[in-house]
Amino acid sequence: SSDLKQLTKLRSLDIRRMDLTSQSGNTLADVLHNLPALTSINLSKNKIGSSGLEIITPALQQCKQLESLKLGAIGLDKEVHSVSPALLSGLTQLQRLSICRNHIGDRGFEQLAPVLQQCSQLRYLDLGGCDLTSDGHSVPLLVTVLLCLPRLEVLTLNCNPVGDKGLEQLSPVLEQCSQLTRLSLWGIGLKSPWSMLIISRLLRQLTSLKILILACNDCGGSIFDEALCAAVKAHPSLELVVLPKSIRQDEVTELRRFAEDPTSTLKYII
């Protein structure tokens, strides 16, 4: 840490997978206090937990130029106080935030949502693998959060079992995310064919979207596959689509044929 503290003009700090724990909190806070010029911090895959995060929160708040913060898999859980309301206070430049693979669940997201609502400049948000469901308050809270993020370009909700009900609740606010270029809904528990219609409607609204990921959902295999495929073909900027499993093979074949057309923006169908 003594070497790091000499680098007061350091712009990027990537210390992921360094086996840091909650006991490293004070040392890490000391380091961050001496690096006020940081624009990017990656602490992912260090099990600092909620207690460690609480210790470094005041130091994070001193990084006024911070644009990117990655806290993936740091050991946050469903504790009532796992995320301090002051976590991102004052970080007005923050554009990229990842809290993926922290099993905070619906209870923990109640603590996180007010924090996210402060981040009006966010362009990238990764909440994958946070165990959000449609049974608690997570989806309505996420709706509120997304309404506060008008510049959002990348949204990842992978492996949160919100299901068809959750997608239906989210779809009106997702339609308003006009700057989205990437939407990842990998394995969110979609099973109803009606979800294909909802996604088709989303595609008609999200004209800037370039990447759509729907893998590991089981909502394909019905007459509504045709509606989704038609929306993909009509989209003005889509480049990559990862389709849900069980979608009809004839529709997949048609889309792949469409992607081979040199005039099509669509390049990859998986």
Side-chain angles (χ1 to χ4, degrees), residues 101-121:
R101 287 170 288 173
N102 287 291
H103 301 291
I104 59 175
D106 298 321
R107 189 179 183 188
F109 193 67
E110 290 182 15
Q111 307 296 316
L112 180 61
V115 175
L116 296 178
Q117 291 177 45
Q118 304 171 36
C119 305
S120 61
Q121 302 301 309

Side-chain angles (χ1 to χ4, degrees), residues 95-165:
Q95 297 181 29
R96 297 174 61 90
L97 178 63
S98 173
I99 311 184
C100 65
R101 287 170 288 173
N102 287 291
H103 301 291
I104 59 175
D106 298 321
R107 189 179 183 188
F109 193 67
E110 290 182 15
Q111 307 296 316
L112 180 61
V115 175
L116 296 178
Q117 291 177 45
Q118 304 171 36
C119 305
S120 61
Q121 302 301 309
L122 274 189
R123 297 179 183 273
Y124 174 105
L125 177 60
D126 187 350
L127 295 173
C130 285
D131 295 345
L132 310 184
T133 75
S134 59
D135 297 329
H137 300 294
S138 288
V139 173
L141 286 171
L142 183 54
V143 167
T144 303
V145 168
L146 292 176
L147 288 172
C148 297
L149 306 179
R151 300 188 177 191
L152 197 63
E153 296 176 5
V154 176
L155 177 62
T156 300
L157 297 175
N158 297 347
C159 303
N160 288 297
V162 297
D164 303 296
K165 177 183 176 183

Side-chain angles (χ1 to χ4, degrees), residues 232-247:
V232 169
K233 291 165 66 175
H235 199 279
S237 58
L238 265 181
E239 297 177 1
L240 167 65
V241 177
V242 183
L243 294 167
K245 62 182 181 179
S246 72
I247 194 168

Side-chain angles (χ1 to χ4, degrees), residues 17-60:
R17 295 177 176 165
M18 295 293 288
D19 294 325
L20 303 181
T21 68
S22 59
Q23 297 180 350
S24 311
N26 288 323
T27 301
L28 185 54
D30 188 34
V31 169
L32 293 174
H33 271 302
N34 288 277
L35 300 175
L38 284 175
T39 61
S40 176
I41 298 175
N42 189 347
L43 300 177
S44 298
K45 297 188 177 180
N46 289 295
K47 298 296 183 181
I48 62 174
S50 57
S51 58
L53 184 59
E54 183 177 3
I55 292 171
I56 68 171
T57 289
L60 285 173

